[in-house]
Amino acid sequence: MSRKPISLRTELPLLIWLVIVWGALWRDFSPGNLLFGALIAVVVARIFYLPPVELSGRFNVLRAIPFALVFLAKVVAASCQVIYLAVAKGPKVVNAVVEVPLRSHSDLMVTATGHVISLIPGSLVVEVDRSTSTLYIHGLDIRDEADAAKLCKEVQDTEAGLIRIMGSKAELAALEAETAPPAPPAHTKGETP
Amino acid sequence: MTPDATGVDAVIDAVTAVFLVLGALMSLTATIGLLRFPDLMSRMHAATKPQVLGLFLLLAGIGLQMRQWWVWPVLAVAWIFQLLTVPVSAHMVGRAGYRTKHLHPELLSVDELEAVVRRAASEQEEQTEAGAPKDR
């Protein structure tokens, strides 16, 4: 354990989660049991030392709740899509492996994005390039370049949503700068961005 | 459930029945997908997504029938662990499948990983030819 000790603040979410799991497994959320669970959580976190998850320190609940609801709806949609494709297309389904560069370079964001997009319709992470934070995604029923571009955009939108929930301040600022371009003088008329 | 089925009980039973049937249907879908899809990675789609939703519906059915608040945390933890582990397993299988070429290139409309893998492989070859086989 030559590494620098983790501060309690970065470890706290992990400890709380361990206590919740403890209480759930014992089906007992009485204070005594939770206290004992907390004790065990601290001991376990000390003995089985893992690299700390680098949390950004911000978590936007107001954005997290709609995101979670949309996510649930997308899980349902994903299953319906798989049903449809399995029955209607079957062996003739055409897929693609698409390269999606992500904005964030933090491990947590890349992991969270990979998890979410693995559960929403038609995408599955095949390969991760951590150095450039690029995801290679296997898309179901991607027939041409346009579909691939759509998939790429969806993944990046998912990442944007996650950044708004729990990305670091720098990532959020970069995202805001990107999504709100200097619109008024550049575009004369027509489409909204 | 209890023999004196009041209105609420009947509704809960009906919802449970719908959830259980839908959940079972999801498992069936996963099987159909495994049989019908042509290659490993599209089968992974079938094996992961309906499974997550199916488990959610079945757990919700259990929770509705148990009528005790303490089952909900257990069920929630079970589902969250499923959410966390399913993408990882799918990714590991998909990755291994891609690397060992268990796929049909003619069924891929776009493949942006192939060039990257080929470049990495040729770089590795150059390294070993240059006489510096550091790792493997």
Side-chain angles (χ1 to χ4, degrees):
Chain A
M1 291 198 194
S2 55
R3 279 180 285 187
K4 71 176 165 77
I6 320 162
S7 73
L8 190 67
R9 187 173 142 69
T10 41
E11 218 177 31
L12 201 59
L14 170 70
L15 293 181
I16 290 174
W17 167 243
L18 284 176
V19 172
I20 291 174
V21 171
W22 175 264
L25 291 179
W26 279 105
R27 304 170 198 154
D28 178 7
F29 285 87
S30 63
N33 192 38
L34 289 187
L35 196 67
F36 190 57
L39 202 68
I40 291 182
V42 170
V43 170
V44 164
R46 282 282 169 271
I47 295 176
F48 301 104
Y49 190 80
L50 289 173
V53 177
E54 281 162 26
L55 296 173
S56 61
R58 54 178 287 279
F59 189 87
N60 192 332
V61 180
L62 286 180
R63 288 199 186 272
I65 292 169
F67 187 85
L69 292 178
V70 169
F71 171 71
L72 272 182
K74 279 184 176 174
V75 168
V76 176
S79 295
C80 296
Q81 187 209 26
V82 170
I83 296 176
Y84 166 72
L85 288 175
V87 173
K89 292 266 182 77
K92 294 189 295 291
V93 70
V94 175
N95 306 314
V97 177
V98 184
E99 176 184 1
V100 182
L102 295 181
R103 302 178 184 87
S104 170
H105 282 262
S106 91
D107 287 343
L108 179 67
M109 293 310 299
V110 174
T111 312
T113 312
H115 266 82
V116 172
I117 58 139
S118 289
L119 293 166
I120 66 174
S123 47
L124 201 65
V125 179
V126 180
E127 188 71 82
V128 183
D129 188 345
R130 192 172 161 217
S131 60
T132 57
S133 105
T134 304
L135 293 180
Y136 295 91
I137 287 162
H138 181 264
L140 197 62
D141 193 31
I142 302 292
R143 270 156 295 179
D144 47 26
E145 298 279 343
D147 284 352
K150 211 189 291 171
L151 175 68
C152 184
K153 188 178 176 303
E154 192 181 345
V155 172
Q156 284 177 334
D157 286 351
T158 306
E159 196 213 2
L162 283 168
I163 286 179
R164 288 200 180 96
I165 292 172
M166 55 181 191
S168 67
K169 288 214 173 72
E171 286 166 357
L172 188 68
L175 179 68
E176 294 301 330
E178 181 190 323
T179 49
H187 298 284
T188 47
K189 60 174 183 177
E191 306 149 350
T192 50
Chain B
M1 221 30 231
T2 47
D4 53 330
T6 59
V8 180
D9 278 345
V11 169
I12 289 181
D13 280 358
V15 172
T16 310
V18 170
F19 276 12
L20 290 183
V21 169
L22 280 180
L25 199 68
M26 289 301 150
S27 299
L28 178 69
T29 313
T31 320
I32 295 174
L34 287 181
L35 286 172
R36 293 267 294 165
F37 282 139
D39 63 349
L40 184 138
M41 276 188 290
S42 22
R43 284 184 187 143
M44 285 316 295
H45 285 275
T48 52
K49 281 155 199 163
Q51 183 201 350
V52 170
L53 181 61
L55 185 74
F56 175 77
L57 293 171
L58 291 178
L59 291 178
I62 294 173
L64 287 176
Q65 283 296 303
M66 293 286 280
R67 307 282 181 87
Q68 264 139 348
W69 67 268
W70 50 256
V71 290
W72 286 101
V74 188
L75 301 178
V77 165
W79 197 57
I80 289 173
F81 273 122
Q82 185 81 3
L83 281 185
L84 291 176
T85 50
V86 157
V88 177
S89 60
H91 164 58
M92 291 322 286
V93 174
R95 182 190 147 113
Y98 192 92
R99 287 292 171 96
T100 50
K101 309 224 170 4
H102 279 281
L103 78 170
H104 299 285
E106 72 274 11
L107 288 174
L108 291 177
S109 60
V110 183
D111 190 351
E112 291 170 342
L113 180 56
E114 193 195 5
V116 180
V117 170
R118 199 179 292 154
R119 203 185 319 133
S122 66
E123 272 171 20
Q124 204 175 27
E125 247 169 50
E126 279 168 24
Q127 272 185 0
T128 48
E129 278 170 14
K134 271 186 183 167
D135 34 13
R136 86 175 66 184

